[in-house]
Amino acid sequence: MSQTVELMNEEIAQRLITAAKSVGLDISGGTVRRSSSRFCLGVEHGDYNGMELFGVGTNRFIWMAYKPNTTGRVRIFSENFPGDGLVDFALGEEAPAGTHKDSWARFPMGAAYILRKNGYPINQGFDAVVYGNIPGGGMSRSASLCLNLLLTLLEVNDVSIDDGMQIVDLAQMVENQYIGSPCGKLDQLMIYFAREGMGAHYNPKTNTIEHIPFGGDAEDFRIVSLDTGTKRPGLEKSTYRIRRDECRELTKILEREFGHESIARIRSKSEFAAAVEHLQEDFEHLQGRLKYLFEANQRFGEMLNAWREGDIAQVGAIFRADGIGLRDDYEISGRELETMCNLARTVEGVYGERMLGGGDKGASGAIVRTDAFSQLKEVVNATYPVCHPDYADSFAIHACKSVDGIRSAPAPF
Ligand code: GLA
């Protein structure tokens, strides 16, 4: 029971109880699974370019309270999307991919569809309510939801998958094959493997994760999410898809001309210079993409060392440099995201700031000395709504801490 108390506070519990009542679901005595958000410290946009990745789980969450039923159906309601009503479908009769474009129903259906498609015996249904407070765009709300749904479906069906990488792959499949999002697997990796007080380092060569504790006092800094209040349509409709296509094109050129199998393989300044020169003639638009990825990849090792040594100012400085590259060379940021960064940069004690995740809209992030957080909040609260009055009621600032990615426990109701 003490574990349960940690998983959610009274307010969240009440939200779930009220939501369940509103659609006549009985989830009392069930289980709660809590899945986190994630904060990537590098290489942002490196996942679909064969690069190493590093990040932490953060305490904006999705909570799902659920209980097996006897109907072979999934009946699930989201407190965040009440207009979508109770999502109710028989296992094995999920709508084909692309059907429920405007409803969050596509996520539970997609999770069941992908599991069954991959041969898992998923027949036992459940009733559930969901509530989340992860900002949309930048902190991996959809990956968190997919993992939560997959793990729940597997658990109620007594199917155990020991290899976490397989779960990560399944979660990515839900997005790529069912939702239609062209995402990589950074989000799923960073959430599934997140551990409190640690960063997760993913090595694509070995397909493994190493947990690295922060070498200093974690109380000295805060990870801050600067939610712009904007809504980003799915990655499939954003600049993200264009960048992915460009990187595919770039990879082909590098392979053909230089024999590099991925952008990540360009490690030396001379290789980089040769590639840039080659792109000059016909592929000038790809030069900036390559520049950001190369430079961020160069900084990555330094960032890991700084983390290991507890040098958060240096982690922040690299985070900031990555942000400038994402803005000017990779050109994936957005107006509101950059307003947040410009404001953060004026505050003494902010070590670094940049846009987060897929790009265009959503949330920026900052790494901040603990005692500078209230000043950052004041500056953003006073100025952001003046710059973007349309989002005056929806922007938000959250100081986050690093947490376990996935936890579950008996429901406290
Ligand atoms: C989104 C995608 C991830 C990753 C990031 C950028 O969050 O879902 O796969 O590419 O953008 O690092």
Side-chain angles (χ1 to χ4, degrees), residues 311-375:
D311 184 355
I312 196 65
Q314 178 64 1
V315 173
I318 291 172
F319 192 73
R320 175 172 288 165
D322 284 359
I324 309 273
L326 284 159
R327 182 191 68 190
D328 297 344
D329 300 321
Y330 209 69
E331 296 181 279
I332 191 95
S333 194
R335 253 161 49 96
E336 297 85 6
L337 296 170
E338 288 306 316
T339 302
M340 284 297 190
C341 293
N342 292 338
L343 293 175
R345 222 171 278 126
T346 65
V347 177
E348 148 90 54
V350 172
Y351 295 124
E353 62 295 302
R354 67 161 165 76
M355 52 75 67
L356 298 177
D360 296 340
K361 307 264 179 210
S364 287
I367 300 173
V368 175
R369 207 172 61 214
T370 302
D371 63 6
F373 176 65
S374 57
Q375 174 68 11

Side-chain angles (χ1 to χ4, degrees), residues 38 43-48 140 183-187 235 240 357-358:
R38 69 100 181 86
V43 172
E44 196 84 277
H45 293 268
D47 59 344
Y48 53 90
S140 305
C183 68
K185 59 179 180 176
L186 180 149
D187 308 338
L235 287 181
Y240 187 87

Side-chain angles (χ1 to χ4, degrees), residues 179-298:
I179 308 293
S181 160
C183 68
K185 59 179 180 176
L186 180 149
D187 308 338
Q188 299 79 356
L189 283 166
M190 293 297 132
I191 294 173
Y192 185 79
F193 290 104
R195 282 213 206 134
E196 189 180 332
M198 310 243 188
H201 173 203
Y202 174 68
N203 184 340
K205 283 193 205 100
T206 48
N207 198 31
T208 51
I209 290 277
E210 185 196 351
H211 289 98
I212 307 183
F214 179 64
D217 183 351
E219 280 311 303
D220 290 347
F221 73 97
R222 293 284 175 267
I223 283 174
V224 180
S225 128
L226 301 160
D227 180 0
T228 62
T230 55
K231 299 237 171 325
R232 193 195 56 205
L235 287 181
E236 63 280 17
K237 298 178 200 118
S238 69
T239 314
Y240 187 87
R241 184 183 277 287
I242 301 171
R243 293 292 170 276
R244 282 209 67 151
D245 290 347
E246 288 176 347
C247 287
R248 207 168 291 127
E249 190 187 4
L250 181 54
T251 307
K252 271 200 204 132
I253 297 170
L254 296 176
E255 161 118 67
R256 190 178 63 226
E257 299 298 323
F258 302 97
H260 301 306
E261 76 208 11
S262 73
I263 300 176
R265 291 303 290 271
I266 302 205
R267 296 314 299 232
S268 74
K269 290 214 168 103
S270 57
E271 286 167 332
F272 172 63
V276 168
E277 199 190 322
H278 178 80
L279 295 171
Q280 182 61 36
E281 231 11 37
D282 298 324
F283 306 101
E284 212 183 330
H285 65 293
L286 299 181
Q287 286 180 327
R289 316 299 179 242
L290 177 60
K291 179 167 181 282
Y292 159 68
L293 289 166
F294 171 73
E295 290 177 353
N297 208 21
Q298 297 282 93

Side-chain angles (χ1 to χ4, degrees), residues 7-323:
L7 285 199
M8 68 170 77
N9 61 25
E10 186 53 35
E11 185 224 316
I12 308 290
Q14 275 313 322
R15 275 179 188 274
L16 292 171
I17 293 167
T18 310
K21 262 200 206 129
S22 75
V23 287
L25 290 181
D26 172 19
I27 39 140
S28 58
T31 308
V32 174
R33 172 165 288 103
R34 190 188 76 177
S35 48
S36 76
S37 47
R38 69 100 181 86
F39 196 91
C40 165
L41 290 159
V43 172
E44 196 84 277
H45 293 268
D47 59 344
Y48 53 90
N49 288 302
M51 291 178 180
E52 289 173 65
L53 308 169
F54 187 69
V56 296
T58 37
N59 59 333
R60 306 297 293 178
F61 296 109
I62 290 175
W63 291 267
M64 181 152 78
Y66 58 94
K67 201 158 94 170
N69 61 30
T70 52
T71 60
R73 304 182 73 85
V74 172
R75 300 192 303 166
I76 185 165
F77 179 71
S78 167
E79 208 268 9
N80 301 90
F81 300 103
D84 292 349
L86 179 67
V87 174
D88 182 355
F89 62 95
L91 287 165
E93 289 173 25
E94 299 79 25
T99 311
H100 289 280
K101 279 220 174 317
D102 298 322
S103 161
W104 86 287
R106 61 197 196 281
F107 286 93
M109 287 191 189
Y113 172 89
I114 288 296
L115 285 175
R116 294 176 64 95
K117 187 175 165 212
N118 284 275
Y120 294 101
I122 300 297
N123 303 302
Q124 166 70 53
F126 64 90
D127 293 348
V129 284
V130 177
Y131 167 68
N133 64 12
I134 305 178
M139 296 189 80
S140 305
R141 189 171 61 179
S142 59
S144 182
L145 179 60
C146 289
L147 285 168
N148 206 325
L149 287 161
L150 285 172
L151 291 168
T152 300
L153 276 162
L154 289 168
E155 186 205 287
V156 300
N157 280 280
D158 277 330
V159 180
S160 64
I161 298 181
D162 295 334
D163 180 5
M165 288 299 170
Q166 211 172 320
I167 310 252
V168 162
D169 289 344
L170 286 164
Q172 188 192 13
M173 280 180 217
V174 176
E175 300 224 43
N176 290 170
Q177 297 177 21
Y178 195 89
I179 308 293
S181 160
C183 68
K185 59 179 180 176
L186 180 149
D187 308 338
Q188 299 79 356
L189 283 166
M190 293 297 132
I191 294 173
Y192 185 79
F193 290 104
R195 282 213 206 134
E196 189 180 332
M198 310 243 188
H201 173 203
Y202 174 68
N203 184 340
K205 283 193 205 100
T206 48
N207 198 31
T208 51
I209 290 277
E210 185 196 351
H211 289 98
I212 307 183
F214 179 64
D217 183 351
E219 280 311 303
D220 290 347
F221 73 97
R222 293 284 175 267
I223 283 174
V224 180
S225 128
L226 301 160
D227 180 0
T228 62
T230 55
K231 299 237 171 325
R232 193 195 56 205
L235 287 181
E236 63 280 17
K237 298 178 200 118
S238 69
T239 314
Y240 187 87
R241 184 183 277 287
I242 301 171
R243 293 292 170 276
R244 282 209 67 151
D245 290 347
E246 288 176 347
C247 287
R248 207 168 291 127
E249 190 187 4
L250 181 54
T251 307
K252 271 200 204 132
I253 297 170
L254 296 176
E255 161 118 67
R256 190 178 63 226
E257 299 298 323
F258 302 97
H260 301 306
E261 76 208 11
S262 73
I263 300 176
R265 291 303 290 271
I266 302 205
R267 296 314 299 232
S268 74
K269 290 214 168 103
S270 57
E271 286 167 332
F272 172 63
V276 168
E277 199 190 322
H278 178 80
L279 295 171
Q280 182 61 36
E281 231 11 37
D282 298 324
F283 306 101
E284 212 183 330
H285 65 293
L286 299 181
Q287 286 180 327
R289 316 299 179 242
L290 177 60
K291 179 167 181 282
Y292 159 68
L293 289 166
F294 171 73
E295 290 177 353
N297 208 21
Q298 297 282 93
R299 287 185 285 260
F300 184 82
E302 229 180 298
M303 185 270 297
L304 276 194
N305 283 341
W307 176 269
R308 233 180 235 116
E309 285 160 16
D311 184 355
I312 196 65
Q314 178 64 1
V315 173
I318 291 172
F319 192 73
R320 175 172 288 165
D322 284 359

